[in-house]
Amino acid sequence: EANAAVEGCEAPHLYLAQQELRDTGMAPLLLDVETPACLQGRAITSVNLWMCIRGSRSNIHYDPYSNLLVVVTGSKHVTLFSPACTPFLAPAALTSDAANHSQINFTQPDFDKNPEFRLAKQQQTQVTMQAGDALFIPEGYWHQVDSEGVTVAVNFWWQSTLTTVLREQPHCRFYHLRVVMGEALGSLIEQLVENCPAADLGSNAGGTLFPYSQLAQ
């Protein structure tokens, strides 16, 4: 009866996320994780272990590092969005505890609240990974990950050359910010114009297409 009761119980949903293998006590596991040849000579920031026993689903987010994701067993389905899609992904406020996360529900998006998410979905890339596969996710690329069944993965994080340079020149941060904001605003205006139906552009060629306040949000 005891065995029957145990067998009848639903297994707990256990999920291990971002366990640094270089932490104290994890070193024996790190011996089984060989750094890929393509990363030799790079300053690895973290080597993380990820595990789930009944599948898992992440929300849309980006990492402040370049990322090589390796599936050890099981499978993962990854959806990727270019950093150019950032204005269409409703990112959390920079002052929040999850500034690198999107506020959009990936599986049940509210297109009335976030109609611009349709533009991001038109540009998404989807990849299915099996055991032994590796996927390079560049720094700043938004991604959402579904893991199937029992899945174990390891990922390597390292800082990109651009981020390294920016952090080594703190006195130039506000200048760089102005340059980037100017370029981003120009790119956003181009994308909005390209995706705006002709009927919405107005009959006057010289008319205002969009309020600046809308473009700056």
Side-chain angles (χ1 to χ4, degrees):
E1 291 181 2
N3 290 336
V6 171
E7 291 174 0
C9 291
E10 185 176 357
H13 187 192
L14 301 178
Y15 178 54
L16 178 66
Q18 198 177 324
Q19 171 58 59
E20 169 62 79
L21 287 178
R22 295 183 294 188
D23 285 350
T24 302
M26 302 300 293
L29 288 178
L30 188 60
L31 296 176
D32 293 328
V33 180
E34 183 178 352
T35 301
C38 61
L39 298 184
Q40 296 293 338
R42 294 189 180 274
I44 303 299
T45 304
S46 300
V47 181
N48 301 309
L49 175 66
W50 308 76
M51 298 177 62
C52 65
I53 63 171
R54 286 196 297 150
S56 65
R57 169 167 290 165
S58 78
N59 56 8
I60 306 171
H61 65 285
Y62 66 84
D63 298 315
Y65 305 101
S66 294
N67 182 6
L68 185 67
L69 175 63
V70 183
V71 175
V72 178
T73 187
S75 63
K76 288 181 177 287
H77 188 72
V78 185
T79 301
L80 298 155
F81 301 93
S82 164
C85 292
T86 299
F88 312 135
L89 293 173
L94 289 175
T95 53
S96 74
D97 292 334
N100 63 321
H101 287 247
S102 167
Q103 301 176 80
I104 293 174
N105 184 325
F106 180 75
T107 55
Q108 295 181 317
D110 184 344
F111 289 113
D112 291 331
K113 182 178 180 181
N114 301 110
E116 66 278 6
F117 184 52
R118 298 183 190 275
L119 298 177
K121 288 188 67 66
Q122 292 173 6
Q123 303 174 58
Q124 70 184 21
T125 299
Q126 295 186 312
V127 179
T128 297
M129 304 177 65
Q130 305 293 341
D133 290 340
L135 175 66
F136 171 55
I137 304 176
E139 178 180 336
Y141 267 68
W142 295 84
H143 51 284
Q144 185 276 331
V145 184
D146 286 338
S147 300
E148 302 294 334
V150 177
T151 296
V152 179
V154 173
N155 84 296
F156 301 83
W157 276 338
W158 68 98
Q159 196 166 272
S160 71
T161 302
L162 175 60
T163 298
T164 300
V165 170
L166 291 175
R167 291 178 177 172
E168 289 177 349
Q169 299 180 343
H171 59 288
C172 291
R173 286 175 181 168
F174 290 105
Y175 163 71
H176 290 146
L177 180 61
R178 286 180 60 83
V179 172
V180 171
M181 288 182 65
E183 293 288 339
L185 182 57
S187 176
L188 179 57
I189 291 174
E190 291 178 3
Q191 291 185 64
L192 289 175
V193 171
E194 289 174 0
N195 288 280
C196 184
D200 292 342
L201 296 182
S203 57
N204 297 323
T208 300
L209 301 182
F210 302 100
Y212 178 81
S213 60
Q214 176 183 343
L215 296 177
Q217 289 180 351

